[in-house]
């Protein structure tokens, strides 16, 4: 029922077609009889408010366009793939944003998803006869739609394909209890932009996420909300006993049927003790995979704008650790002391004086550049340009407490101490 003194052509057309009743006049009290819901959408906000008030007094639902305070309900933007409907509401705060979200969701939800839903209704009816337990049925569908599978391609399934997946899941459930798997995933140096799509995909579908100290909060936030999060951060120095505990956790969680992510900072295969975890998984017969990540030395080099290998300068670059299981790590100091040698040192802060001493002893040039990059790629990244001679003082002076990479033989294009800028904070 439309009441308007000046209706649009479209409304008049619909009235002629019998789709609505049109009254060419101002609204009156009796218009509020025998209806359930009112839209007060005249050009006059005061009149809208008054109509809304009348409606409310009569216990009717009312929406006044663009006058949130006069509304008892709002109409969200919807994506309609009958019977699948997605509504996007912003409580009146930002209709423009809601509309862009709608456009985005529209591109993701194929037209055929409604047909898919109808097919699923049919399969559900079949399932409730053979699987009386609600939670068991729920798990079966969760398996079809998320667990490690690509939801986007699943949404494009034809009814036949969904029936096949359903039959396969059913057969799976009838076979012996399933073993999960473990993905050793590189979380990168911290910045979300440096996380791989593979890591992101697994984070979205994991049941259990086992992570340590160097995984950034931004990366963790990508994890599935319902997942179980287990922190296994190791304090430096307290390594040996804890690693066995981590091995045990990932094995036990996978044997319980979970998809487990072992999430590590940087790349899992660089100073990540991945081989010990792999050995434990193999011994327990747990399937695993490895998803590489961007290692912190790569991020640090990118931050200072230096190429890790330079034509005509260094033919190789060493990735070193400052510490190993025995304490400060011994290295091939002779070749590292050579004129053009270059290395990225992980876990090098505590060992910096030791490294400096060993290199100077072998005749390394005192003024050889050393760039320290703390929190590479993160918001609180710090770059300190130093030399072999003053790097130890600089670590203290600039309060570098880690995680940091020491880039031996690399000059920074940015950074504190005689370089272009101070902390790169605002970049
Ligand atoms: N697997 C990791 C390294 C683990 S060893 C990787 O590939 O990066 C831990 C050391 O990594 C730290 O002591 C530090 O030297 C380095 N590190 C990790 N994240 C870092 C970051 N965001 N910035 C600088 N160094 C980092």
């Amino acid at each position: 029922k439309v009441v308007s003194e000046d209706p649009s052509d479209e409304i008049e057309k619909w009235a002629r077609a019998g789709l609505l009743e049109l009254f060419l006049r101002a609204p009156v009290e009796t218009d509020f009889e025998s209806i359930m819901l009112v839209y007060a959408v005249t050009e006059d906000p005061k009149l809208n408010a008054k109509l809304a008030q009348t409606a409310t007094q009569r216990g009717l639902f009312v929406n006044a366009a663009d006058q949130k305070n006069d509304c008892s309900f709002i109409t969200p933007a919807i994506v309609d793939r009958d019977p699948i409907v997605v509504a996007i509401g912003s409580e009146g705060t930002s209709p423009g944003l809601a509309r862009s979200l709608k456009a985005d969701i529209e591109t993701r939800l194929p037209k055929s998803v409604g047909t898919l839903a109808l097919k699923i209704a049919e399969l559900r009816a079949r399932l409730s006869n053979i699987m009386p337990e609600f939670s068991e049925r729920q798990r079966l569908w969760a398996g079809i739609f998320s667990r490690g599978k690509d939801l986007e391609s699943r949404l494009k399934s034809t009814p036949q394909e969904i029936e096949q997946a359903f039959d396969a899941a059913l057969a799976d459930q009838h076979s012996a209890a399933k073993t999960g798997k473990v993905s050793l995933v590189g979380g990168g140096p911290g910045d979300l932009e440096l996380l791989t799509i593979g890591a992101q995909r697994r984070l979205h579908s994991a049941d259990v996420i086992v992570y340590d100290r160097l995984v950034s909060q931004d990366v963790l936030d990508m994890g599935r909300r319902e997942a179980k999060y287990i922190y296994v951060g190791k304090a430096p120095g307290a390594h040996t006993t804890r690693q066995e505990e981590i091995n045990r956790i990932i094995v036990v969680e996978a044997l319980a049927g979970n998809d487990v992510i072992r999430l590590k900072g940087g790349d899992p295969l660089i100073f990540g003790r991945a081989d010990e975890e792999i050995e434990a998984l193999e011994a327990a017969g747990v399937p695993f995979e490895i998803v590489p990540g961007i290692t912190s030395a790569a991020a640090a080099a990118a931050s200072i704008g230096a190429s890790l290998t330079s034509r005509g300068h260094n033919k190789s670059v060493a990735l070193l650790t400052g510490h190993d299981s025995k304490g400060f790590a011994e290295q091939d100091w002779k070749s590292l002391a050579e004129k053009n040698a270059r290395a990225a040192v992980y876990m090098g802060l505590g060992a910096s004086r030791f490294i400096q001493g060993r290199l100077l002893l072998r005749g390394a040039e005192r003024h050889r550049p050393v760039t320290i990059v703390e929190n590479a790629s993160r918001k609180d990244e710090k770059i300190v340009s130093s030399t072999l001679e003053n790097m130890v003082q600089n670590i203290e002076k600039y309060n570098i407490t880690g995680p940091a990479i020491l880039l031996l033989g690399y000059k920074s294009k940015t950074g504190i101490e005689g370089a272009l800028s101070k902390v790169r904070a605002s970049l």
Side-chain angles (χ1 to χ4, degrees), residues 164-329:
Q164 278 162 13
F166 173 81
D167 288 338
L170 208 54
D172 236 26
Q173 204 131 35
H174 284 312
S175 68
K178 97 176 214 318
T179 308
K181 70 167 195 313
V182 174
S183 306
L184 298 171
V185 174
D191 183 355
L192 213 47
E193 297 245 308
L194 301 181
L195 189 71
T196 67
I197 292 173
Q200 194 178 328
R201 269 245 292 276
R202 283 157 186 83
L203 280 165
H204 284 164
S205 66
D207 300 310
V208 179
I209 298 174
V210 182
Y211 67 102
D212 49 51
R213 210 162 47 92
L214 292 174
V215 174
S216 76
Q217 190 58 45
D218 287 348
V219 168
L220 267 187
D221 288 345
M222 297 297 288
R224 187 164 149 240
R225 228 180 314 163
E226 300 77 25
K228 174 166 148 194
Y229 289 80
I230 304 178
Y231 176 69
V232 293
K234 298 179 272 194
H239 289 200
T240 35
T241 46
R242 293 282 281 142
Q243 184 60 47
E244 282 121 50
E245 176 63 6
I246 297 171
N247 298 350
R248 194 190 61 81
I249 291 171
I250 57 178
V251 165
V252 167
E253 291 292 347
L255 289 178
N258 294 314
D259 280 353
V260 180
I261 291 192
R262 173 67 178 108
L263 185 61
K264 294 165 184 280
D267 181 273
L269 303 183
I270 295 179
F271 301 127
R273 304 188 72 177
D275 42 359
E276 291 162 63
E277 293 172 12
I278 288 169
E279 209 172 288
L281 294 167
E282 275 176 338
V286 173
F288 67 91
E289 61 168 357
I290 297 164
V291 181
I294 292 186
T295 191
S296 40
S303 290
I304 68 166
S307 182
L308 281 173
T309 58
S310 302
R311 204 174 145 98
H313 185 103
N314 60 320
K315 296 201 192 91
S316 68
V317 54
L319 303 183
L320 308 178
T321 174
H323 274 271
D324 62 15
S325 53
K326 297 190 201 74
F328 294 153

Side-chain angles (χ1 to χ4, degrees), residues 8-196:
S8 68
D9 296 345
E10 198 162 28
I11 294 286
E12 288 186 317
K13 203 170 88 193
W14 287 342
R16 280 196 301 276
L19 295 171
L20 51 83
E21 256 186 297
L22 180 59
F23 299 87
L24 291 168
R25 54 169 170 74
V28 294
E29 189 78 17
T30 49
D31 287 329
F32 292 86
E33 282 163 15
S34 344
I35 55 172
M36 294 170 68
L37 183 137
V38 179
Y39 279 91
V41 288
T42 72
E43 300 286 339
D44 175 4
K46 285 213 192 74
L47 177 57
N48 289 344
K50 207 173 128 251
L51 293 169
Q53 201 184 0
T54 311
T56 308
Q57 277 159 5
R58 289 174 164 260
L60 304 175
F61 289 112
V62 63
N63 179 289
D66 260 346
Q67 292 170 234
K68 193 186 164 213
N69 293 337
D70 296 315
C71 293
S72 63
F73 73 92
I74 53 164
T75 39
I78 67 164
V79 178
D80 189 359
R81 301 278 187 267
D82 184 44
I84 298 287
V85 177
V86 181
I88 305 113
S90 66
E91 304 259 324
T93 55
S94 43
L97 174 61
R99 270 194 298 277
S100 339
L101 287 173
K102 168 186 149 102
D104 184 56
I105 291 169
E106 238 155 14
T107 62
R108 288 166 198 243
L109 269 188
K111 293 260 159 28
S112 57
V113 79
T115 325
L116 194 64
L118 293 173
K119 180 70 191 179
I120 291 167
E122 185 192 311
L123 296 172
R124 282 182 63 215
R126 213 199 291 167
L127 189 63
S128 52
N129 291 331
I130 47 179
M131 199 180 271
E133 188 88 29
F134 172 72
S135 61
E136 219 180 320
R137 296 200 299 269
Q138 211 179 24
R139 211 161 333 134
L140 182 118
W141 288 112
I144 294 176
F145 284 109
S146 61
R147 297 266 296 268
K149 292 180 190 83
D150 189 348
L151 180 62
E152 221 164 300
S153 67
R154 173 61 81 215
L155 288 178
K156 293 184 189 123
S157 307
T158 63
Q160 293 90 306
E161 282 164 348
I162 203 75
E163 185 157 9
Q164 278 162 13
F166 173 81
D167 288 338
L170 208 54
D172 236 26
Q173 204 131 35
H174 284 312
S175 68
K178 97 176 214 318
T179 308
K181 70 167 195 313
V182 174
S183 306
L184 298 171
V185 174
D191 183 355
L192 213 47
E193 297 245 308
L194 301 181
L195 189 71
T196 67

